[in-house]
Amino acid sequence: MKFTIRLVFVFLFSWMLYLIPCKFLTLDFFKIKEIKVESNSKILSSELTEMTKIIYNSNIWTIDLESLEKYLKKDVRIEDVKIKVLSLGKLEIDVKVKEVAYYLQTKDRVFLIDSNGDIFGYLKEQQEKDTYFLVVKDFDDIEKLLELSKRLDETLLKVLISQIYIRDYSCIEIVLLDGTIIKTNLEVEDEKYKVLETLYNELAKIKKIEYIDIRFNDFIVKNLEEKKSDDK
């Protein structure tokens, strides 16, 4: 008798284990009916819309959230993504798009790049940001310009910069918004940029500067009046 009762119990338990995934967990109650999308940019709106269409009405127990995250992270425009279940039938997709650190210009093309120098889009794909252009002839030059840019970003000069490019093997030119050129290279110490801030601010009040060369012990300053005099 005890054996029969035990057998019945095992049978009922096994039957319940069968019914839970086959019947209970497949109820409409567990289908995705609401998807909340959080993003710091609109450039992925079409892709995210398509994904939500695929996920919508799917059973929450059959969705591999980790695989979906990995899939989205393959997009070079995405910095990070988190997908989580808010409640039964409700998902949240939180997408963080890469921030523009600089614009990269090569010939007639302008790209968006992050602080690591990775290209992740074109100029018109994001709202314009108050940053400057790294102008290169060869993509191999990006690393040098990034090294200098990260140093300049710690100075007050950052907001005055229009573009940076390599003039030759010994000179990198920083073009300010008013057209002033700063001649420098990677050997110039950070302390010199602090002196340059003060020097430029004082000189710009009284004259138009053509360039300031900070590569040597003494600062070399040439203003536009000197250039006109030489042309006569």
Side-chain angles (χ1 to χ4, degrees), residues 25-37 48-65 68 83-93:
L25 296 183
T26 58
L27 294 174
D28 288 348
F29 183 69
F30 295 104
K31 289 184 178 180
I32 302 298
K33 296 298 182 181
E34 183 177 349
I35 302 173
K36 182 181 179 183
V37 178
L48 291 174
T49 299
E50 289 302 313
M51 173 166 281
T52 56
K53 288 180 180 179
I54 296 172
I55 297 174
Y56 186 79
N57 216 35
S58 298
N59 190 292
I60 198 168
W61 301 110
T62 63
I63 300 174
D64 187 343
L65 300 184
L68 285 177
I83 303 177
K84 59 183 179 181
V85 179
L86 296 179
S87 61
L88 287 178
K90 186 175 181 180
L91 282 183
E92 179 182 76
I93 303 176

mmCIF file of all heavy atoms in Angstrom, residues 25-37 48-65 68 83-93:
data_model
loop_
_atom_site.group_PDB
_atom_site.id
_atom_site.type_symbol
_atom_site.label_atom_id
_atom_site.label_comp_id
_atom_site.label_asym_id
_atom_site.label_seq_id
_atom_site.Cartn_x
_atom_site.Cartn_y
_atom_site.Cartn_z
ATOM 1 N N LEU A 25 3.732 27.962 -17.796
ATOM 2 C CA LEU A 25 4.711 28.975 -18.200
ATOM 3 C C LEU A 25 4.490 29.508 -19.610
ATOM 4 O O LEU A 25 5.110 30.488 -20.015
ATOM 5 C CB LEU A 25 6.130 28.407 -18.087
ATOM 6 C CG LEU A 25 6.591 28.030 -16.672
ATOM 7 C CD1 LEU A 25 8.028 27.542 -16.687
ATOM 8 C CD2 LEU A 25 6.440 29.213 -15.720
ATOM 9 N N THR A 26 3.613 28.860 -20.362
ATOM 10 C CA THR A 26 3.330 29.336 -21.729
ATOM 11 C C THR A 26 2.076 30.200 -21.800
ATOM 12 O O THR A 26 1.658 30.605 -22.889
ATOM 13 C CB THR A 26 3.172 28.135 -22.685
ATOM 14 O OG1 THR A 26 2.122 27.290 -22.209
ATOM 15 C CG2 THR A 26 4.469 27.342 -22.777
ATOM 16 N N LEU A 27 1.490 30.473 -20.669
ATOM 17 C CA LEU A 27 0.292 31.317 -20.649
ATOM 18 C C LEU A 27 0.615 32.733 -21.132
ATOM 19 O O LEU A 27 1.754 33.199 -21.034
ATOM 20 C CB LEU A 27 -0.284 31.373 -19.226
ATOM 21 C CG LEU A 27 -0.843 30.061 -18.647
ATOM 22 C CD1 LEU A 27 -1.232 30.267 -17.193
ATOM 23 C CD2 LEU A 27 -2.027 29.575 -19.471
ATOM 24 N N ASP A 28 -0.393 33.429 -21.649
ATOM 25 C CA ASP A 28 -0.220 34.808 -22.133
ATOM 26 C C ASP A 28 0.280 35.731 -21.022
ATOM 27 O O ASP A 28 0.857 36.782 -21.295
ATOM 28 C CB ASP A 28 -1.546 35.338 -22.685
ATOM 29 C CG ASP A 28 -1.904 34.697 -24.011
ATOM 30 O OD1 ASP A 28 -1.025 34.035 -24.601
ATOM 31 O OD2 ASP A 28 -3.059 34.853 -24.452
ATOM 32 N N PHE A 29 0.062 35.326 -19.821
ATOM 33 C CA PHE A 29 0.486 36.100 -18.662
ATOM 34 C C PHE A 29 1.991 36.375 -18.675
ATOM 35 O O PHE A 29 2.465 37.368 -18.142
ATOM 36 C CB PHE A 29 0.093 35.326 -17.398
ATOM 37 C CG PHE A 29 0.411 36.042 -16.110
ATOM 38 C CD1 PHE A 29 -0.279 37.184 -15.741
ATOM 39 C CD2 PHE A 29 1.422 35.576 -15.271
ATOM 40 C CE1 PHE A 29 0.013 37.846 -14.556
ATOM 41 C CE2 PHE A 29 1.723 36.227 -14.089
ATOM 42 C CZ PHE A 29 1.010 37.359 -13.729
ATOM 43 N N PHE A 30 2.744 35.459 -19.305
ATOM 44 C CA PHE A 30 4.204 35.568 -19.327
ATOM 45 C C PHE A 30 4.749 36.177 -20.632
ATOM 46 O O PHE A 30 5.953 36.215 -20.828
ATOM 47 C CB PHE A 30 4.839 34.191 -19.109
ATOM 48 C CG PHE A 30 4.560 33.609 -17.758
ATOM 49 C CD1 PHE A 30 3.629 32.592 -17.615
ATOM 50 C CD2 PHE A 30 5.198 34.076 -16.629
ATOM 51 C CE1 PHE A 30 3.347 32.046 -16.365
ATOM 52 C CE2 PHE A 30 4.941 33.550 -15.377
ATOM 53 C CZ PHE A 30 4.003 32.531 -15.240
ATOM 54 N N LYS A 31 3.860 36.626 -21.497
ATOM 55 C CA LYS A 31 4.318 37.218 -22.750
ATOM 56 C C LYS A 31 4.687 38.687 -22.549
ATOM 57 O O LYS A 31 4.066 39.384 -21.759
ATOM 58 C CB LYS A 31 3.234 37.088 -23.827
ATOM 59 C CG LYS A 31 3.056 35.658 -24.315
ATOM 60 C CD LYS A 31 2.047 35.575 -25.445
ATOM 61 C CE LYS A 31 1.918 34.146 -25.962
ATOM 62 N NZ LYS A 31 0.941 34.055 -27.075
ATOM 63 N N ILE A 32 5.697 39.130 -23.309
ATOM 64 C CA ILE A 32 6.153 40.520 -23.218
ATOM 65 C C ILE A 32 5.138 41.438 -23.873
ATOM 66 O O ILE A 32 4.870 41.341 -25.069
ATOM 67 C CB ILE A 32 7.526 40.694 -23.905
ATOM 68 C CG1 ILE A 32 8.576 39.784 -23.280
ATOM 69 C CG2 ILE A 32 7.980 42.154 -23.828
ATOM 70 C CD1 ILE A 32 8.849 40.059 -21.834
ATOM 71 N N LYS A 33 4.565 42.331 -23.074
ATOM 72 C CA LYS A 33 3.555 43.258 -23.582
ATOM 73 C C LYS A 33 4.012 44.716 -23.492
ATOM 74 O O LYS A 33 3.367 45.595 -24.045
ATOM 75 C CB LYS A 33 2.249 43.090 -22.801
ATOM 76 C CG LYS A 33 1.601 41.722 -22.980
ATOM 77 C CD LYS A 33 1.225 41.468 -24.430
ATOM 78 C CE LYS A 33 0.525 40.115 -24.586
ATOM 79 N NZ LYS A 33 0.164 39.851 -26.001
ATOM 80 N N GLU A 34 5.112 44.935 -22.798
ATOM 81 C CA GLU A 34 5.615 46.312 -22.664
ATOM 82 C C GLU A 34 7.139 46.293 -22.649
ATOM 83 O O GLU A 34 7.749 45.521 -21.905
ATOM 84 C CB GLU A 34 5.092 46.967 -21.392
ATOM 85 C CG GLU A 34 5.515 48.424 -21.237
ATOM 86 C CD GLU A 34 4.932 49.070 -19.996
ATOM 87 O OE1 GLU A 34 4.043 48.479 -19.362
ATOM 88 O OE2 GLU A 34 5.396 50.176 -19.650
ATOM 89 N N ILE A 35 7.752 47.137 -23.487
ATOM 90 C CA ILE A 35 9.214 47.233 -23.556
ATOM 91 C C ILE A 35 9.611 48.689 -23.394
ATOM 92 O O ILE A 35 9.245 49.539 -24.206
ATOM 93 C CB ILE A 35 9.759 46.691 -24.887
ATOM 94 C CG1 ILE A 35 9.332 45.230 -25.093
ATOM 95 C CG2 ILE A 35 11.289 46.778 -24.914
ATOM 96 C CD1 ILE A 35 9.674 44.670 -26.447
ATOM 97 N N LYS A 36 10.321 48.972 -22.351
ATOM 98 C CA LYS A 36 10.781 50.326 -22.068
ATOM 99 C C LYS A 36 12.218 50.486 -22.585
ATOM 100 O O LYS A 36 13.098 49.726 -22.197
ATOM 101 C CB LYS A 36 10.729 50.603 -20.561
ATOM 102 C CG LYS A 36 11.141 52.005 -20.163
ATOM 103 C CD LYS A 36 11.066 52.164 -18.651
ATOM 104 C CE LYS A 36 11.493 53.560 -18.221
ATOM 105 N NZ LYS A 36 11.478 53.691 -16.740
ATOM 106 N N VAL A 37 12.421 51.464 -23.467
ATOM 107 C CA VAL A 37 13.753 51.686 -24.047
ATOM 108 C C VAL A 37 14.324 52.988 -23.517
ATOM 109 O O VAL A 37 13.720 54.048 -23.658
ATOM 110 C CB VAL A 37 13.698 51.727 -25.583
ATOM 111 C CG1 VAL A 37 15.095 52.002 -26.155
ATOM 112 C CG2 VAL A 37 13.155 50.418 -26.135
ATOM 113 N N LEU A 48 16.622 49.710 -32.560
ATOM 114 C CA LEU A 48 15.949 49.329 -31.322
ATOM 115 C C LEU A 48 14.460 49.077 -31.559
ATOM 116 O O LEU A 48 13.868 48.190 -30.939
ATOM 117 C CB LEU A 48 16.142 50.418 -30.268
ATOM 118 C CG LEU A 48 17.568 50.566 -29.737
ATOM 119 C CD1 LEU A 48 17.670 51.776 -28.815
ATOM 120 C CD2 LEU A 48 18.018 49.309 -29.009
ATOM 121 N N THR A 49 13.880 49.847 -32.471
ATOM 122 C CA THR A 49 12.472 49.633 -32.804
ATOM 123 C C THR A 49 12.259 48.252 -33.420
ATOM 124 O O THR A 49 11.305 47.540 -33.085
ATOM 125 C CB THR A 49 11.966 50.708 -33.788
ATOM 126 O OG1 THR A 49 12.095 51.990 -33.177
ATOM 127 C CG2 THR A 49 10.514 50.466 -34.166
ATOM 128 N N GLU A 50 13.160 47.865 -34.314
ATOM 129 C CA GLU A 50 13.070 46.551 -34.935
ATOM 130 C C GLU A 50 13.231 45.438 -33.906
ATOM 131 O O GLU A 50 12.542 44.411 -33.968
ATOM 132 C CB GLU A 50 14.122 46.411 -36.043
ATOM 133 C CG GLU A 50 13.850 47.224 -37.286
ATOM 134 C CD GLU A 50 12.508 46.869 -37.920
ATOM 135 O OE1 GLU A 50 12.235 45.655 -38.062
ATOM 136 O OE2 GLU A 50 11.746 47.784 -38.249
ATOM 137 N N MET A 51 14.140 45.635 -32.956
ATOM 138 C CA MET A 51 14.362 44.613 -31.935
ATOM 139 C C MET A 51 13.133 44.459 -31.046
ATOM 140 O O MET A 51 12.744 43.338 -30.690
ATOM 141 C CB MET A 51 15.583 44.952 -31.085
ATOM 142 C CG MET A 51 15.767 44.007 -29.900
ATOM 143 S SD MET A 51 17.383 44.118 -29.135
ATOM 144 C CE MET A 51 18.360 43.164 -30.285
ATOM 145 N N THR A 52 12.519 45.580 -30.679
ATOM 146 C CA THR A 52 11.339 45.499 -29.820
ATOM 147 C C THR A 52 10.187 44.791 -30.531
ATOM 148 O O THR A 52 9.395 44.091 -29.897
ATOM 149 C CB THR A 52 10.884 46.904 -29.371
ATOM 150 O OG1 THR A 52 10.648 47.726 -30.527
ATOM 151 C CG2 THR A 52 11.937 47.554 -28.491
ATOM 152 N N LYS A 53 10.119 44.944 -31.857
ATOM 153 C CA LYS A 53 9.074 44.261 -32.622
ATOM 154 C C LYS A 53 9.263 42.751 -32.563
ATOM 155 O O LYS A 53 8.290 41.982 -32.500
ATOM 156 C CB LYS A 53 9.089 44.726 -34.085
ATOM 157 C CG LYS A 53 8.566 46.137 -34.294
ATOM 158 C CD LYS A 53 8.627 46.514 -35.763
ATOM 159 C CE LYS A 53 8.106 47.929 -36.000
ATOM 160 N NZ LYS A 53 8.199 48.310 -37.441
ATOM 161 N N ILE A 54 10.537 42.320 -32.587
ATOM 162 C CA ILE A 54 10.838 40.894 -32.542
ATOM 163 C C ILE A 54 10.543 40.321 -31.158
ATOM 164 O O ILE A 54 9.995 39.228 -31.015
ATOM 165 C CB ILE A 54 12.317 40.651 -32.918
ATOM 166 C CG1 ILE A 54 12.564 41.071 -34.369
ATOM 167 C CG2 ILE A 54 12.692 39.175 -32.730
ATOM 168 C CD1 ILE A 54 14.023 41.040 -34.772
ATOM 169 N N ILE A 55 10.917 41.081 -30.125
ATOM 170 C CA ILE A 55 10.759 40.604 -28.749
ATOM 171 C C ILE A 55 9.297 40.642 -28.305
ATOM 172 O O ILE A 55 8.839 39.766 -27.563
ATOM 173 C CB ILE A 55 11.602 41.456 -27.774
ATOM 174 C CG1 ILE A 55 13.090 41.325 -28.109
ATOM 175 C CG2 ILE A 55 11.361 41.034 -26.330
ATOM 176 C CD1 ILE A 55 13.973 42.239 -27.288
ATOM 177 N N TYR A 56 8.572 41.644 -28.777
ATOM 178 C CA TYR A 56 7.192 41.853 -28.310
ATOM 179 C C TYR A 56 6.344 40.595 -28.504
ATOM 180 O O TYR A 56 6.386 39.944 -29.538
ATOM 181 C CB TYR A 56 6.557 43.018 -29.058
ATOM 182 C CG TYR A 56 5.184 43.391 -28.545
ATOM 183 C CD1 TYR A 56 5.038 44.150 -27.392
ATOM 184 C CD2 TYR A 56 4.045 42.956 -29.222
ATOM 185 C CE1 TYR A 56 3.781 44.479 -26.904
ATOM 186 C CE2 TYR A 56 2.783 43.289 -28.744
ATOM 187 C CZ TYR A 56 2.668 44.046 -27.583
ATOM 188 O OH TYR A 56 1.423 44.362 -27.109
ATOM 189 N N ASN A 57 5.599 40.252 -27.515
ATOM 190 C CA ASN A 57 4.684 39.103 -27.513
ATOM 191 C C ASN A 57 5.409 37.759 -27.384
ATOM 192 O O ASN A 57 4.775 36.704 -27.489
ATOM 193 C CB ASN A 57 3.794 39.090 -28.758
ATOM 194 C CG ASN A 57 2.398 38.577 -28.451
ATOM 195 O OD1 ASN A 57 1.863 38.823 -27.376
ATOM 196 N ND2 ASN A 57 1.810 37.874 -29.397
ATOM 197 N N SER A 58 6.733 37.810 -27.161
ATOM 198 C CA SER A 58 7.481 36.573 -26.916
ATOM 199 C C SER A 58 7.345 36.186 -25.452
ATOM 200 O O SER A 58 7.118 37.032 -24.592
ATOM 201 C CB SER A 58 8.964 36.765 -27.256
ATOM 202 O OG SER A 58 9.133 37.073 -28.613
ATOM 203 N N ASN A 59 7.507 34.915 -25.187
ATOM 204 C CA ASN A 59 7.434 34.439 -23.812
ATOM 205 C C ASN A 59 8.697 34.838 -23.066
ATOM 206 O O ASN A 59 9.811 34.637 -23.543
ATOM 207 C CB ASN A 59 7.276 32.917 -23.790
ATOM 208 C CG ASN A 59 6.959 32.400 -22.401
ATOM 209 O OD1 ASN A 59 7.783 32.448 -21.502
ATOM 210 N ND2 ASN A 59 5.754 31.889 -22.236
ATOM 211 N N ILE A 60 8.514 35.414 -21.892
ATOM 212 C CA ILE A 60 9.645 35.946 -21.144
ATOM 213 C C ILE A 60 10.648 34.867 -20.743
ATOM 214 O O ILE A 60 11.834 35.132 -20.559
ATOM 215 C CB ILE A 60 9.146 36.706 -19.896
ATOM 216 C CG1 ILE A 60 10.241 37.629 -19.369
ATOM 217 C CG2 ILE A 60 8.672 35.729 -18.804
ATOM 218 C CD1 ILE A 60 9.755 38.619 -18.343
ATOM 219 N N TRP A 61 10.156 33.612 -20.651
ATOM 220 C CA TRP A 61 11.037 32.518 -20.239
ATOM 221 C C TRP A 61 11.885 31.995 -21.398
ATOM 222 O O TRP A 61 12.843 31.250 -21.189
ATOM 223 C CB TRP A 61 10.211 31.371 -19.648
ATOM 224 C CG TRP A 61 9.405 31.795 -18.470
ATOM 225 C CD1 TRP A 61 8.055 31.922 -18.410
ATOM 226 C CD2 TRP A 61 9.889 32.167 -17.178
ATOM 227 N NE1 TRP A 61 7.654 32.355 -17.165
ATOM 228 C CE2 TRP A 61 8.769 32.516 -16.384
ATOM 229 C CE3 TRP A 61 11.164 32.246 -16.603
ATOM 230 C CZ2 TRP A 61 8.872 32.924 -15.069
ATOM 231 C CZ3 TRP A 61 11.266 32.649 -15.282
ATOM 232 C CH2 TRP A 61 10.147 32.983 -14.529
ATOM 233 N N THR A 62 11.538 32.361 -22.613
ATOM 234 C CA THR A 62 12.277 31.860 -23.776
ATOM 235 C C THR A 62 13.274 32.881 -24.323
ATOM 236 O O THR A 62 14.003 32.586 -25.275
ATOM 237 C CB THR A 62 11.301 31.472 -24.903
ATOM 238 O OG1 THR A 62 10.577 32.637 -25.334
ATOM 239 C CG2 THR A 62 10.327 30.411 -24.430
ATOM 240 N N ILE A 63 13.300 34.077 -23.740
ATOM 241 C CA ILE A 63 14.201 35.126 -24.225
ATOM 242 C C ILE A 63 15.552 35.032 -23.507
ATOM 243 O O ILE A 63 15.613 35.058 -22.278
ATOM 244 C CB ILE A 63 13.595 36.526 -23.997
ATOM 245 C CG1 ILE A 63 12.270 36.659 -24.750
ATOM 246 C CG2 ILE A 63 14.564 37.610 -24.456
ATOM 247 C CD1 ILE A 63 11.551 37.950 -24.470
ATOM 248 N N ASP A 64 16.607 34.943 -24.290
ATOM 249 C CA ASP A 64 17.964 34.895 -23.741
ATOM 250 C C ASP A 64 18.477 36.339 -23.648
ATOM 251 O O ASP A 64 19.016 36.885 -24.611
ATOM 252 C CB ASP A 64 18.864 34.053 -24.641
ATOM 253 C CG ASP A 64 20.247 33.810 -24.035
ATOM 254 O OD1 ASP A 64 20.623 34.546 -23.094
ATOM 255 O OD2 ASP A 64 20.947 32.900 -24.507
ATOM 256 N N LEU A 65 18.303 36.946 -22.490
ATOM 257 C CA LEU A 65 18.667 38.356 -22.323
ATOM 258 C C LEU A 65 20.160 38.579 -22.498
ATOM 259 O O LEU A 65 20.593 39.596 -23.056
ATOM 260 C CB LEU A 65 18.231 38.840 -20.936
ATOM 261 C CG LEU A 65 16.732 38.746 -20.624
ATOM 262 C CD1 LEU A 65 16.444 39.357 -19.261
ATOM 263 C CD2 LEU A 65 15.905 39.441 -21.701
ATOM 264 N N LEU A 68 20.998 38.743 -26.145
ATOM 265 C CA LEU A 68 20.541 40.006 -26.729
ATOM 266 C C LEU A 68 21.503 41.143 -26.396
ATOM 267 O O LEU A 68 21.805 41.984 -27.248
ATOM 268 C CB LEU A 68 19.144 40.350 -26.207
ATOM 269 C CG LEU A 68 17.978 39.546 -26.780
ATOM 270 C CD1 LEU A 68 16.677 39.954 -26.101
ATOM 271 C CD2 LEU A 68 17.874 39.738 -28.283
ATOM 272 N N ILE A 83 19.777 44.799 -20.247
ATOM 273 C CA ILE A 83 18.383 44.402 -20.443
ATOM 274 C C ILE A 83 17.928 43.680 -19.182
ATOM 275 O O ILE A 83 18.570 42.724 -18.740
ATOM 276 C CB ILE A 83 18.224 43.475 -21.663
ATOM 277 C CG1 ILE A 83 18.764 44.147 -22.927
ATOM 278 C CG2 ILE A 83 16.764 43.101 -21.855
ATOM 279 C CD1 ILE A 83 18.709 43.272 -24.166
ATOM 280 N N LYS A 84 16.841 44.146 -18.608
ATOM 281 C CA LYS A 84 16.368 43.518 -17.384
ATOM 282 C C LYS A 84 14.852 43.421 -17.361
ATOM 283 O O LYS A 84 14.144 44.177 -18.033
ATOM 284 C CB LYS A 84 16.859 44.291 -16.158
ATOM 285 C CG LYS A 84 16.416 45.730 -16.101
ATOM 286 C CD LYS A 84 17.022 46.433 -14.884
ATOM 287 C CE LYS A 84 16.619 47.891 -14.813
ATOM 288 N NZ LYS A 84 17.228 48.586 -13.646
ATOM 289 N N VAL A 85 14.369 42.473 -16.578
ATOM 290 C CA VAL A 85 12.938 42.260 -16.417
ATOM 291 C C VAL A 85 12.442 43.159 -15.289
ATOM 292 O O VAL A 85 12.894 43.050 -14.152
ATOM 293 C CB VAL A 85 12.632 40.785 -16.086
ATOM 294 C CG1 VAL A 85 11.127 40.599 -15.890
ATOM 295 C CG2 VAL A 85 13.153 39.864 -17.185
ATOM 296 N N LEU A 86 11.518 44.058 -15.616
ATOM 297 C CA LEU A 86 10.956 44.949 -14.604
ATOM 298 C C LEU A 86 9.844 44.259 -13.831
ATOM 299 O O LEU A 86 9.698 44.432 -12.623
ATOM 300 C CB LEU A 86 10.432 46.226 -15.258
ATOM 301 C CG LEU A 86 11.484 47.107 -15.948
ATOM 302 C CD1 LEU A 86 10.805 48.323 -16.567
ATOM 303 C CD2 LEU A 86 12.570 47.543 -14.983
ATOM 304 N N SER A 87 9.067 43.480 -14.555
ATOM 305 C CA SER A 87 7.976 42.712 -13.958
ATOM 306 C C SER A 87 7.525 41.720 -15.018
ATOM 307 O O SER A 87 8.018 41.738 -16.154
ATOM 308 C CB SER A 87 6.822 43.622 -13.530
ATOM 309 O OG SER A 87 6.291 44.310 -14.651
ATOM 310 N N LEU A 88 6.609 40.844 -14.671
ATOM 311 C CA LEU A 88 6.120 39.894 -15.665
ATOM 312 C C LEU A 88 5.494 40.644 -16.835
ATOM 313 O O LEU A 88 4.616 41.487 -16.657
ATOM 314 C CB LEU A 88 5.088 38.962 -15.030
ATOM 315 C CG LEU A 88 5.648 37.898 -14.079
ATOM 316 C CD1 LEU A 88 4.518 37.079 -13.488
ATOM 317 C CD2 LEU A 88 6.632 36.997 -14.810
ATOM 318 N N GLY A 89 5.982 40.341 -18.020
ATOM 319 C CA GLY A 89 5.447 40.989 -19.216
ATOM 320 C C GLY A 89 6.047 42.341 -19.522
ATOM 321 O O GLY A 89 5.639 43.008 -20.470
ATOM 322 N N LYS A 90 7.080 42.771 -18.753
ATOM 323 C CA LYS A 90 7.659 44.093 -18.976
ATOM 324 C C LYS A 90 9.187 44.029 -18.930
ATOM 325 O O LYS A 90 9.776 43.548 -17.963
ATOM 326 C CB LYS A 90 7.161 45.081 -17.932
ATOM 327 C CG LYS A 90 7.611 46.519 -18.175
ATOM 328 C CD LYS A 90 6.971 47.467 -17.176
ATOM 329 C CE LYS A 90 7.385 48.910 -17.427
ATOM 330 N NZ LYS A 90 6.756 49.848 -16.459
ATOM 331 N N LEU A 91 9.822 44.519 -20.003
ATOM 332 C CA LEU A 91 11.284 44.558 -20.108
ATOM 333 C C LEU A 91 11.772 45.995 -20.191
ATOM 334 O O LEU A 91 11.051 46.886 -20.647
ATOM 335 C CB LEU A 91 11.765 43.821 -21.367
ATOM 336 C CG LEU A 91 11.830 42.295 -21.380
ATOM 337 C CD1 LEU A 91 12.399 41.834 -22.711
ATOM 338 C CD2 LEU A 91 12.664 41.760 -20.238
ATOM 339 N N GLU A 92 13.022 46.190 -19.789
ATOM 340 C CA GLU A 92 13.675 47.488 -19.977
ATOM 341 C C GLU A 92 14.992 47.267 -20.704
ATOM 342 O O GLU A 92 15.804 46.427 -20.308
ATOM 343 C CB GLU A 92 13.945 48.175 -18.646
ATOM 344 C CG GLU A 92 14.646 49.536 -18.818
ATOM 345 C CD GLU A 92 14.954 50.211 -17.497
ATOM 346 O OE1 GLU A 92 15.918 49.773 -16.830
ATOM 347 O OE2 GLU A 92 14.238 51.147 -17.135
ATOM 348 N N ILE A 93 15.195 48.025 -21.783
ATOM 349 C CA ILE A 93 16.448 47.987 -22.539
ATOM 350 C C ILE A 93 17.140 49.328 -22.347
ATOM 351 O O ILE A 93 16.649 50.358 -22.813
ATOM 352 C CB ILE A 93 16.206 47.722 -24.038
ATOM 353 C CG1 ILE A 93 15.427 46.418 -24.239
ATOM 354 C CG2 ILE A 93 17.529 47.659 -24.785
ATOM 355 C CD1 ILE A 93 15.060 46.145 -25.693
#
